[in-house]
Amino acid sequence: MKGKSSGLLVIIIMLLFALAFSKNVPIATVPVQTAVDMNTTTVPFSASSGDDSTSIHCINVGQGDSTLIVSGGSAVLIDGGPQSAGSTVVEYLTRQGIAKLDAVIASHPHEDHIGGLVAVLQAFQVDAVYMSDEGTDTEAYRKLLEAITAENLVPQFPNIGDTISFGNTGAVLTNLAPGPESSKIFDADNPDGWSLVFRLDAADCSALFPGDATFGIEQFMLQQNESQLNCDILKVAQHGAKGSSCQAFIDAVSPAYAVISYGEGSTEQAPDSKIYTYLEPYQTTISQTATDGTIVYQLHNGIVHLVS
């Protein structure tokens, strides 16, 4: 595949096989439609109103993405921002009383999504790591693989339809795209085209986390099952910049709330004006980490509360 070196593939294979043999188990992948049991610990959480309540925290990491989801006694982190924000993410999780993470999801191998995960893996017990099935020959990606191996974890590569459950709360994350060999299907040269897309269903509410999914992935999901995209909350893809969020996709989601995660003063990936135009007909309440800081949503009994 373009953009990848044979040396990177050798490094990945050596890391994974060394870990697998040290634990005397085969390299794991996520079986289709198999939920991961995450009811293993009690996580104190200051903003929670009960075990049936779910909270979404879009952490202000500057130019990047990092989202914490807490439901009952389970916590999952989607992305960790850039390396420079690693300590910010660790401190935020610590302030929220997070004792461990049941899962960490690295949506795709861009540094502004995975760089901070190294610090997270070093600071917290993590039960499972889920990644896009494609990698890059970059320092950030190599450091992430090394951190995963150091914690005696084997990365798992979710297929379409795979789920991650939050214990007995009823909350569940479902992977909607892109599936195996994403680089061959969408874009061999652009890691955004390999970005995992997860839908959260919790407390009779829903949210969509498309990472940096491109137009190609959006069209794929529209063709597969347009109804699955309709959600209360949208984490806008690719920081609101060009290359994501076509009008048909936004119309299918029609969110009541949207959050755009980007860095103050960013020009390269600042939100494009079209995203505001596409959201306007739905009277979407739009929050932005660059101007509003960390955004917190509380989901309870079918109602979304914008906490901050």
Side-chain angles (χ1 to χ4, degrees), residues 158-218:
N159 202 344
I160 295 170
D162 287 351
T163 59
I164 304 172
S165 63
F166 290 71
N168 59 3
T169 67
V172 63
L173 282 163
T174 304
N175 183 40
L176 304 185
E181 298 186 315
S182 53
S183 65
K184 297 180 181 179
I185 301 172
F186 298 103
D187 193 337
D189 297 318
N190 181 8
D192 289 340
W194 319 333
S195 191
L196 297 173
V197 178
F198 276 91
R199 174 190 170 99
L200 173 70
D201 289 281
D204 293 323
C205 301
S206 53
L208 196 64
F209 305 97
D212 280 355
T214 58
F215 291 145
I217 294 178
E218 292 174 357

Side-chain angles (χ1 to χ4, degrees), residues 203-279:
D204 293 323
C205 301
S206 53
L208 196 64
F209 305 97
D212 280 355
T214 58
F215 291 145
I217 294 178
E218 292 174 357
Q219 291 299 322
F220 172 79
M221 292 188 292
L222 286 166
Q223 294 168 6
Q224 292 297 306
N225 185 357
E226 183 175 332
S227 64
Q228 70 184 349
L229 299 176
N230 181 253
C231 285
D232 300 302
I233 303 169
L234 171 66
K235 200 292 297 178
V236 176
Q238 209 167 145
H239 321 286
K242 296 177 180 179
S244 296
S245 303
C246 68
Q247 184 165 5
F249 177 77
I250 295 299
D251 288 343
V253 181
S254 58
Y257 297 87
V259 57
I260 306 175
S261 180
Y262 72 101
E264 186 176 6
S266 173
T267 56
E268 187 173 318
Q269 286 191 303
D272 187 80
S273 60
K274 68 177 175 61
I275 187 64
Y276 305 102
T277 301
Y278 294 163
L279 289 170

Side-chain angles (χ1 to χ4, degrees), residues 291-304:
T291 55
D292 302 320
T294 294
I295 312 301
V296 180
Y297 300 99
Q298 190 80 26
L299 317 182
H300 188 68
N301 288 340
I303 300 174
V304 175

